[in-house]
Amino acid sequence: MMDEREEDADEEAWLQLRPVEPLPSQCCGSGCSPCVFDLYHRELARWEAARASKDRSLLSGEESQSCPSKLSPETFLAFRISAVDRLTEDTYCVRFALPRNCQFSLRPGQHLILRGKVDGLEIQRAYTPISPANAEGYFEVLIKYGELLMLASGTGLAPMVPILQSITDNAEDETFVTLVCCFKTFEGIYLKTFLQEQARFWNVRTFFVLSQENSLEKLPWSYREKTCFGRLAQGLIEELVGSCRRKPFALVCGSAEFTKDMARCLLCAGLAKDSYYLF
C-alpha cells in the first residue's frame, strides 16, 4: 500500500495530466463541430475514466492511419512535419506529410484543428490549409507569429497588462510572449489570478524573480518551476533571449536603476537598441 506521501505525489501527477479547459477567447465562435470545448469535455471524460481505473494508457487519444482520406471530428491523427519554409520575418509555411500520396479532399474554406506542444504546454488551434485541395501526399498551413519579451519590476507590471491582454484577447494574434515579473516576495506579487489565467494561453510564458525569498518549498507547486531567487541579471537575460524562437522585441518597465540594468543586459545578450523599448 502507498503511504500518505506517495498518495499525495500520485494525486498531483494525475492533476497535472488533467485537460486544461479552454478560455472563451480560444473559441472562434464560428460554430465549429467539434468546438474546442467539445474536445475538452471528451478529453476530460477520458481523463476521469483513466483516473478512476488508475490506467494512464487510456489517456492516449491520438491515432495514425495508413491512408487517412477522411478526417474524423472525434479523433486526432498524428502527422509528420516534412518541411518548414520561412516566407517573411514572422511567417512560416509548414508542410505535413500524408502517407502513400493520400489527399484530404477538403472543401474550400474548411479548416483543421491542429494540436501539439509548445514548451511542454499542449495547445490546439484552427488553421485553413493553403495547399491545393487535390494535393497528394501533403497539406500545408500558414503560421504567423512574433516574439515579445516583457521585463517588469514591481509596479512596472502595470503597463504590460493591457499589452498582454490585447494579444491574448485576439484569437488571430500569434505573438509569443515571455513575461518576467520581479518582486521582493511571493506575497508581494500582485495580479496573481490574472497572471495565472494569462499563462494558460499557448503563446504566453510567465516567470518570477524574487529578491527576498530563498526557499522553493514555501511556494505553491505551480510557481516552483518558473521562479528564481535573487536579482534579474545578465545570465538569466541571456537564457531568456536564447530560449525565444527568434530574437524578441523587449519591453522594460521598473525603477530607473532596473531599466538601466536591463538595457545593458539586453545589449550584451545581442539585442540592438532598436530591439527594445524602455518605459
Side-chain angles (χ1 to χ4, degrees):
M1 295 180 62
M2 291 191 296
D3 59 26
E4 184 175 347
R5 185 177 304 175
E6 290 175 329
E7 289 180 354
D8 289 343
D10 185 65
E11 177 68 12
E12 184 169 315
W14 275 106
L15 290 176
Q16 290 179 357
L17 293 171
R18 191 182 193 276
V20 177
E21 183 175 2
L23 295 171
S25 58
Q26 291 178 278
C27 174
C28 65
S30 302
C32 304
S33 181
C35 172
V36 291
F37 286 98
D38 295 329
L39 296 173
Y40 162 71
H41 288 299
R42 290 171 191 166
E43 293 186 356
L44 181 62
R46 184 184 297 121
W47 177 82
E48 290 173 341
R51 185 184 183 189
S53 62
K54 297 184 178 181
D55 183 359
R56 297 187 187 183
S57 67
L58 298 178
L59 293 176
S60 177
E62 293 186 349
E63 298 178 4
S64 61
Q65 295 181 358
S66 59
C67 191
S69 58
K70 291 186 178 180
L71 294 176
S72 168
E74 306 292 333
T75 308
F76 281 98
L77 305 177
F79 296 102
R80 177 178 60 86
I81 295 177
S82 59
V84 178
D85 294 327
R86 184 174 181 176
L87 305 181
T88 67
E89 185 178 4
D90 60 357
T91 306
Y92 294 80
C93 177
V94 181
R95 174 174 289 199
F96 294 83
L98 295 175
R100 302 182 183 177
N101 292 326
C102 293
Q103 61 184 48
F104 274 156
S105 300
L106 297 175
R107 299 188 302 275
Q110 189 174 4
H111 68 259
L112 306 172
I113 297 178
L114 302 183
R115 182 171 72 175
K117 287 190 175 183
V118 176
D119 295 326
L121 177 66
E122 187 175 274
I123 63 170
Q124 54 191 35
R125 300 276 288 176
Y127 292 97
T128 299
I130 61 170
S131 47
N134 60 351
E136 294 185 352
Y138 73 94
F139 69 93
E140 294 174 327
V141 297
L142 201 64
I143 298 177
K144 181 176 181 178
Y145 70 86
E147 193 88 21
L148 194 60
L149 174 62
M150 294 179 167
L151 307 176
S153 176
T155 56
L157 175 62
M160 307 293 186
V161 169
I163 298 173
L164 177 59
Q165 194 152 30
S166 69
I167 293 172
T168 56
D169 281 349
N170 182 2
E172 302 301 318
D173 195 330
E174 297 188 342
T175 301
F176 285 94
V177 179
T178 300
L179 172 62
V180 183
C181 305
C182 302
F183 291 91
K184 292 180 180 179
T185 64
F186 175 76
E187 293 300 325
I189 300 173
Y190 61 88
L191 298 177
K192 287 190 183 75
T193 300
F194 169 79
L195 293 174
Q196 286 178 324
E197 290 175 349
Q198 295 299 301
R200 291 175 56 191
F201 283 91
W202 67 274
N203 54 337
V204 176
R205 300 186 300 169
T206 58
F207 296 95
F208 300 89
V209 179
L210 305 178
S211 61
Q212 295 182 9
E213 298 275 11
N214 56 21
S215 175
L216 289 175
E217 286 69 26
K218 294 181 180 180
L219 303 181
W221 68 267
S222 59
Y223 283 83
R224 294 179 186 179
E225 292 186 355
K226 56 184 181 181
T227 300
C228 299
F229 299 135
R231 295 174 62 86
L232 182 56
Q234 183 65 50
L236 183 53
I237 291 294
E238 292 180 353
E239 183 179 340
L240 289 167
V241 171
S243 68
C244 292
R245 295 156 187 79
R246 48 171 290 190
K247 280 203 172 181
F249 185 84
L251 300 177
V252 181
C253 191
S255 65
E257 180 183 2
F258 176 82
T259 302
K260 181 179 178 180
D261 287 345
M262 293 303 100
R264 175 181 54 79
C265 290
L266 290 169
L267 281 173
C268 293
L271 295 188
K273 289 186 177 181
D274 59 357
S275 296
Y276 58 84
Y277 179 81
L278 311 177
F279 286 91

